[in-house]
Amino acid sequence: MKLPGQEECDTSAANENISAGELDSDHGPGHSPSGSSETNSRELGVSRDPPLFIQLNELLGWPQALEWRETGRWMLFEEKLEVSAGRWSVPHVPILALPSLQKLRSLLAKGLVLLDCPARSLLELVEQVIKVESSAERRGQLQALLLQRPQHSIQTTGPLLFCVTQHQNPLKQKLPPEAEAAAVLTGELGFLPQPLGAFVRLRNPVVLGTLTEVPLPCRFFCLLLGPAMPGKGYHEIGRAAAVLLSDLQFQWSVRRASNLHDLLAALDAFLEEVTVLPPGRWDPTARILPPKCLPSQLKRSPSQKRDVQGFSIPHTGRAEDRHGRGPHVPCAELQRTGRLFGGLVQDVSRKASWYSTDFLDALHPQCFSAVLYIYLATVTNAITFGGLLGDATDGAQGVLESFLGTAVAGAAFCLLAGQPLTILSSTGPVLVFERLLFSFSRDHSLDYLPFRLWVGIWVTVFCLVLVATEASVLVRYFTRFTEEGFCALISLIFIYDALGKMVHLTHTYPIQRPGSPGYGCFCQYPGPQGNESQWATAQPKSRDDVLSMDLGLVNASLLPPFECTRQGGQPRGPGCHTVPDIAFFSLLLFLTSFFFATAFKHVKTSHFFPSVVRKVLSDFSSVLAILLGCGLDTFLGLATPKLLVPTEFKPTLPGRGWLVSPFGANPWWLSVAAALPALLLCILIFMDQQITAVILNRAEYKLQKGAGFHLDLFCVAVLILLTSTLGLPWYVSATVISLAHMDSLRRESRACAPGEAPSFLGIREQRLTGLVVFILTGISIFLAPVLKFVKRVQLLLMPAKHQPDLLLLRHVPLKRVHLFTAIQLVCLGLLWIIKSTPAAIIFPIMLLGLVGVRKALEWVFSPQELLWLDELMPEDERSIPEKGLEPEHSFGEDESEDSELMYQPKVPEINISVN
């Protein structure tokens, strides 16, 4: 049955229908700037619909002076016009009353529904809508009223209300170019005898003059007018219509609806998903802020498939774990070829096709800021590890070797490696091994650098064997359990070394207290009787810097030792050669740098300063804190220990050249015996390198050019041989700096709905930023003269009533969570104990043992528990029931909300315990 006035509009909606083939079509690897709305459309498995901007215009001033005024707007969230405050409200989740939705449904069921209306202007659209009114006089009044120019949004820079032109509206910059508009007009109109409802979908979207504040082509038009109604009746009905149109599922359905039944079915499907807040249990004036991560739309798609006739929504989503990642299926880079060096050949072939774009893709302003950021971080790291290496090896290696090795190894890796986003650096575990190797050489009277050279040669051989046998495919067994244990060990090493430095400083330079003997220092002059063998003390009689006292036998003053010597005196006393308060001021600078770094890091989430300033302060928090501490030290002229940097381009250890002799003073058999420590170091380097590679190449980072596990390990092996020959530090992938490098190259959508976080589009993959960083690091050598498990552990100490509502605790009993955490803590404790004992040389094997411990946990925990607590091993995913991995595939009435929360999409984040 056709509704009045519907005969002039095409209701077939044939041009909106999509075939099953189109629904399954792949749109390629490219990214679109349209934000999460488009992402959710892709989750539904349908073609991408344009994002929709919805505006609510309300009729005010009845009966004296009628005018249309914009009172609300939506993309994903609601913004209300706060007229008295002269601003838009913060974006928030809209809250509706059920009666408003019911009244809206009644108006649409009894009103006018035009689908694929061919109107090309606001006048044509109004003429189509008012035909439902029988009175010619009221049609004229309605036409004049609907063509009246509405009053749009207000400026937020002052209390005065005035219109802004459409092209000056800052909201336009947040909307993608393909966005469309929907206008909802509602209000009280006394001359209408009964409510008037109309819903129009335009066949071709068209800009309807000044109807919306942003000049967008309008796709939907909704009119809701009627006689007086108690309360905020029409206002709430209009909000209900706008909220419906802002819902992605309703949008998809109404774009493809062919008749009134489809429209009402989509509305009913929306009502089925509504959550009701009971009265008296919440504050209706409170606004619910947008979630950090929007829930997945997959759960709701089957209801839409039932209720919208003629459409099927194929399920294209894939199962994800609780981290937002897909099932742990080995990627193409981790498939065995069965040939010697087969994985390496495939990596080279795969990366060669991207090599030219690895430089062209770097031609973007974002890469410049990334270079500055990572350069400062790399230089800071090189200075830190140079100082630590100097202490650990008694000067056999130092800051100059650290800078040179970082520059050479890093630049070569960026040019040749499979994953050029990786930043090579010295790491905590390798530093521990260097310290152990030097201690062993010193205790057994061995020549350290030649012994280290043979260790490096054997490490290269062993790593090449691992590359030849495609051992990198084993990284699929590196789960969160192994990653967290390894990263926690790195954190403890850094924290322990930092605190150990401060403790050592307090022993070397004890904190002076007033009245202690160490403060006694006086300047003795020859007495009147020539007796210079005596000296005495006396209190000063004035505030002059020089206080001379004639005691008959001795002349003494309080001159500083240097000034005393310059004037012919002789410093005498226990405090003359003591520099006071070195440890005290060092501790103050230590704490100052730490607290400022922490404060700058959290500025990003504060409400102060513009967003650009907050981001810069947060990104450069560590560098700014170090510069602040150094500047304060220099300004106050504190006598704190300074890092000694060589002023010449030569090795730190006197008497040696750049090439290390293979034997030196060592016996020949040591070259063979070096294979044993080399085997341990090879395990350590394999773990350190590949764990970082696994973290960097996770699927949630949306890398398009693939990984290169075999090629990366090959490059590291060759570079270890080079650095061993030159007596430079050993380098592997540094997790923290590499993740910071990737974070500085994040690509995010510019256009996003108010209140919605910019959608993550991927990483700007290229080789140039890392290459430039290491070239600058090498240039810095010539500037040498101027270069002087937390949450789960908290649960152990937290009463049940105060524990957070974690999804983990909804699916795993608390005692099982405590057991898993306790096992991790025991493993970490064993690693630390072994590292701190004479058996520390074998701790690389213990790191490898973490994988075995994780495998043994399958005898203690069920697959479902491990799915939430850690990850499933690849072979175990085949044995777990399908519903355990893909709960979103079964949509029963008993399904809880947890499955939706479990599989909501996540923006990639750095989730390791190293800061």
Side-chain angles (χ1 to χ4, degrees):
M1 181 180 67
K2 294 186 178 180
L3 297 173
Q6 195 171 358
E7 61 276 359
E8 295 187 32
C9 296
D10 180 13
T11 59
S12 64
N15 60 330
E16 291 289 336
N17 291 342
I18 300 177
S19 65
E22 290 173 313
L23 292 177
D24 293 327
S25 63
D26 184 9
H27 296 283
H31 300 286
S32 173
S34 59
S36 66
S37 301
E38 186 175 300
T39 302
N40 288 323
S41 296
R42 286 197 299 271
E43 287 180 358
L44 292 175
V46 299
S47 62
R48 291 178 267 185
D49 293 326
L52 199 62
F53 167 73
I54 303 102
Q55 177 175 320
L56 175 63
N57 291 345
E58 194 168 352
L59 186 62
L60 304 174
W62 173 265
Q64 291 83 7
L66 292 175
E67 68 170 359
W68 293 102
R69 181 173 292 280
E70 178 187 13
T71 59
R73 62 190 188 190
W74 289 257
M75 275 286 285
L76 292 178
F77 306 103
E78 180 178 20
E79 292 179 277
K80 291 182 178 179
L81 184 64
E82 297 173 339
V83 180
S84 300
R87 64 183 183 184
W88 283 103
S89 71
V90 296
H92 56 276
V93 179
I95 300 174
L96 298 175
L98 282 179
S100 64
L101 286 167
Q102 294 167 352
K103 292 176 182 177
L104 173 64
R105 191 185 191 285
S106 178
L107 281 175
L108 293 179
K110 299 177 182 178
L112 175 67
V113 175
L114 304 177
L115 301 177
D116 290 333
C117 184
R120 297 184 179 181
S121 66
L122 179 60
L123 177 59
E124 293 183 18
L125 177 61
V126 169
E127 289 176 350
Q128 292 284 339
V129 171
I130 64 175
K131 283 184 178 182
V132 70
E133 179 56 50
S134 58
S135 171
E137 180 182 357
R138 286 196 293 266
R139 285 201 302 270
Q141 290 176 304
L142 282 173
Q143 180 172 344
L145 187 62
L146 294 176
L147 293 177
Q148 181 178 327
R149 178 190 180 99
Q151 298 294 320
H152 290 309
S153 61
I154 56 177
Q155 291 273 9
T156 58
T157 56
L160 298 178
L161 301 180
F162 60 96
C163 296
V164 293
T165 64
Q166 293 178 322
H167 293 281
Q168 292 176 338
N169 195 323
L171 181 63
K172 182 176 177 61
Q173 300 176 359
K174 296 184 178 182
L175 301 174
E178 70 272 17
E180 297 177 348
V184 179
L185 280 66
T186 185
E188 180 181 314
L189 201 55
F191 64 78
L192 290 178
Q194 58 185 5
L196 171 63
F199 183 86
V200 180
R201 184 183 71 201
L202 294 171
R203 178 184 301 170
N204 298 311
V206 60
V207 177
L208 300 178
T210 60
L211 187 62
T212 57
E213 64 166 305
V214 184
L216 295 174
C218 194
R219 171 71 72 174
F220 300 101
F221 178 85
C222 186
L223 181 65
L224 305 165
L225 299 173
M229 183 182 296
K232 298 181 178 180
Y234 289 104
H235 173 76
E236 291 301 317
I237 295 174
R239 287 187 62 246
V243 171
L244 270 174
L245 287 169
S246 68
D247 180 70
L248 297 177
Q249 293 283 349
F250 185 84
Q251 279 185 34
W252 187 90
S253 299
V254 78
R255 285 178 181 275
R256 291 153 182 82
S258 58
N259 50 46
L260 173 62
H261 178 269
D262 290 347
L263 179 63
L264 296 180
L267 197 155
D268 292 336
F270 177 86
L271 289 174
E272 290 180 5
E273 302 292 337
V274 168
T275 301
V276 178
L277 295 174
R281 294 293 185 267
W282 68 289
D283 183 4
T285 63
R287 288 172 176 162
I288 303 176
L289 296 179
K292 293 183 179 179
C293 183
L294 292 178
S296 173
Q297 299 292 318
L298 290 174
K299 179 182 176 181
R300 296 174 54 194
S301 59
S303 64
Q304 300 297 317
K305 182 172 63 177
R306 291 194 307 268
D307 296 328
V308 180
Q309 297 179 355
F311 296 100
S312 60
I313 304 177
H315 188 280
T316 59
R318 58 187 177 91
E320 297 176 342
D321 63 11
R322 76 214 182 287
H323 302 296
R325 301 199 300 269
H328 201 159
V329 177
C331 57
E333 293 89 345
L334 298 179
Q335 297 288 346
R336 288 189 180 274
T337 64
R339 304 186 303 272
L340 285 179
F341 293 101
L344 176 63
V345 173
Q346 283 192 352
D347 283 353
V348 173
S349 175
R350 185 185 305 111
K351 302 302 293 188
S353 60
W354 295 101
Y355 200 79
S356 60
T357 63
D358 285 342
F359 293 93
L360 297 178
D361 291 347
L363 304 179
H364 191 276
Q366 183 184 15
C367 294
F368 175 78
S369 59
V371 165
L372 178 62
Y373 175 34
I374 302 303
Y375 166 70
L376 294 175
T378 303
V379 167
T380 303
N381 199 66
I383 292 175
T384 302
F385 272 100
L388 294 174
L389 273 174
D391 293 341
T393 61
D394 286 351
Q397 294 170 308
V399 176
L400 186 64
E401 285 84 357
S402 180
F403 268 82
L404 180 60
T406 300
V408 172
F413 190 86
C414 287
L415 280 174
L416 303 174
Q419 183 48 269
L421 296 175
T422 302
I423 300 295
L424 289 195
S425 175
S426 298
T427 62
V430 175
L431 174 65
V432 171
F433 194 91
E434 291 262 25
R435 184 182 294 135
L436 295 173
L437 197 64
F438 179 81
S439 299
F440 179 84
S441 302
R442 181 186 56 196
D443 295 342
H444 293 81
S445 302
L446 300 177
D447 198 347
Y448 169 63
L449 289 178
F451 180 42
R452 182 180 179 275
L453 170 60
W454 282 107
V455 171
I457 292 173
W458 280 109
V459 167
T460 301
V461 173
F462 292 149
C463 287
L464 291 179
V465 171
L466 294 178
V467 174
T469 57
E470 301 179 297
S472 294
V473 299
L474 298 177
V475 302
R476 72 179 76 169
Y477 297 102
F478 290 174
T479 67
R480 291 275 178 177
F481 182 88
T482 307
E483 294 173 14
E484 289 176 356
F486 186 78
C487 293
L489 179 66
I490 294 176
S491 301
L492 288 178
I493 290 173
F494 280 118
I495 295 173
Y496 178 83
D497 285 344
L499 295 178
K501 276 279 189 182
M502 293 306 306
V503 173
H504 176 73
L505 209 58
T506 58
H507 290 300
T508 306
Y509 304 99
I511 297 178
Q512 304 291 335
R513 296 178 176 83
S516 63
Y519 274 80
C521 181
F522 305 93
C523 181
Q524 179 187 356
Y525 297 96
Q529 299 179 0
N531 189 346
E532 301 179 7
S533 63
Q534 303 179 32
W535 56 277
T537 65
Q539 295 295 326
K541 300 179 181 179
S542 67
R543 298 179 60 185
D544 296 338
D545 290 337
V546 180
L547 176 63
S548 299
M549 297 165 290
D550 192 345
L551 302 181
L553 296 176
V554 178
N555 289 331
S557 70
L558 300 180
L559 282 174
F562 174 76
E563 187 65 22
C564 174
T565 305
R566 193 181 67 83
Q567 294 189 11
Q570 187 173 4
R572 297 293 181 90
C576 291
H577 304 288
T578 300
V579 181
D581 300 332
I582 285 181
F584 178 73
F585 285 119
S586 298
L587 180 61
L588 287 181
L589 291 175
F590 173 82
L591 296 176
T592 299
S593 301
F594 172 76
F595 285 120
F596 269 103
T598 303
F600 285 144
K601 191 68 178 178
H602 290 88
V603 164
K604 190 173 185 178
T605 57
S606 70
H607 300 287
F608 301 100
F609 311 114
S611 59
V612 176
V613 176
R614 294 200 307 268
K615 187 176 187 305
V616 170
L617 291 177
S618 177
D619 290 344
F620 294 91
S621 56
S622 300
V623 176
L624 291 175
I626 293 174
L627 293 178
L628 182 64
C630 295
L632 188 62
D633 180 273
T634 303
F635 177 75
L636 298 178
L638 302 178
T640 53
K642 305 296 191 297
L643 181 66
L644 298 179
V645 179
T647 57
E648 300 179 88
F649 185 74
K650 64 179 183 180
T652 303
L653 186 66
R656 87 163 181 98
W658 283 113
L659 293 178
V660 178
S661 172
F663 293 101
N666 297 327
W668 66 268
W669 53 263
L670 193 63
S671 59
V672 179
L676 180 59
L679 179 61
L680 302 176
L681 180 59
C682 179
I683 296 174
L684 177 61
I685 288 177
F686 181 83
M687 294 282 291
D688 208 346
Q689 169 67 31
Q690 301 295 41
I691 285 179
T692 302
V694 168
I695 294 174
L696 261 62
N697 291 283
R698 285 178 180 157
E700 63 260 35
Y701 292 115
K702 300 182 180 179
L703 300 180
Q704 299 295 318
K705 300 182 180 180
F709 295 99
H710 310 282
L711 178 57
D712 289 351
L713 184 60
F714 176 81
C715 292
V716 169
V718 174
L719 290 174
I720 285 177
L721 178 61
L722 176 63
T723 54
S724 300
T725 304
L726 298 176
L728 303 178
W730 290 317
Y731 296 97
V732 292
S733 299
T735 307
V736 179
I737 303 181
S738 299
L739 287 172
H741 186 208
M742 293 183 64
D743 188 63
S744 66
L745 295 169
R746 289 168 59 93
R747 296 189 299 112
E748 296 180 339
S749 60
R750 293 181 176 272
C752 56
E756 178 193 15
S759 61
F760 176 73
L761 302 179
I763 304 295
R764 199 172 300 280
E765 302 176 61
Q766 36 73 47
R767 297 179 183 270
L768 196 58
T769 53
L771 181 62
V772 173
V773 163
F774 290 114
I775 290 176
L776 292 177
T777 304
I779 294 175
S780 301
I781 297 175
F782 300 99
L783 303 179
V786 298
L787 279 178
K788 294 278 183 190
F789 318 90
V790 179
K791 290 185 179 180
R792 292 205 303 272
V793 174
Q794 289 175 345
L795 290 176
L796 295 172
L797 308 175
M798 192 179 298
K801 66 178 181 179
H802 296 304
Q803 290 173 358
D805 184 22
L806 302 176
L807 291 179
L808 170 71
L809 298 181
R810 298 183 188 181
H811 297 269
V812 182
L814 183 60
K815 62 181 181 180
R816 305 289 287 172
V817 178
H818 288 340
L819 177 60
F820 187 85
T821 304
I823 293 174
Q824 276 195 299
L825 291 176
V826 169
C827 292
L828 179 60
L830 290 176
L831 286 174
W832 184 259
I833 291 173
I834 292 174
K835 188 199 78 68
S836 306
T837 62
I841 195 71
I842 67 167
F843 93 98
I845 296 180
M846 299 303 297
L847 278 176
L848 190 61
L850 288 177
V851 178
V853 174
R854 166 59 183 83
K855 184 67 177 175
L857 290 180
E858 296 175 3
W859 295 87
V860 181
F861 298 93
S862 67
Q864 286 78 9
E865 288 175 332
L866 289 176
L867 176 65
W868 287 97
L869 290 169
D870 184 47
E871 290 173 353
L872 295 177
M873 291 291 193
E875 63 269 18
D876 299 326
E877 294 167 0
R878 296 188 292 270
S879 61
I880 189 172
E882 183 179 354
K883 62 180 181 181
L885 272 177
E886 302 182 351
E888 78 272 33
H889 285 186
S890 58
F891 298 93
E893 295 181 357
D894 297 332
E895 184 184 17
S896 69
E897 60 180 325
D898 297 337
S899 61
E900 177 184 357
L901 298 175
M902 175 182 178
Y903 295 105
Q904 55 183 267
K906 293 189 65 176
V907 174
E909 56 187 35
I910 299 177
N911 188 22
I912 59 175
S913 56
V914 184
N915 190 344

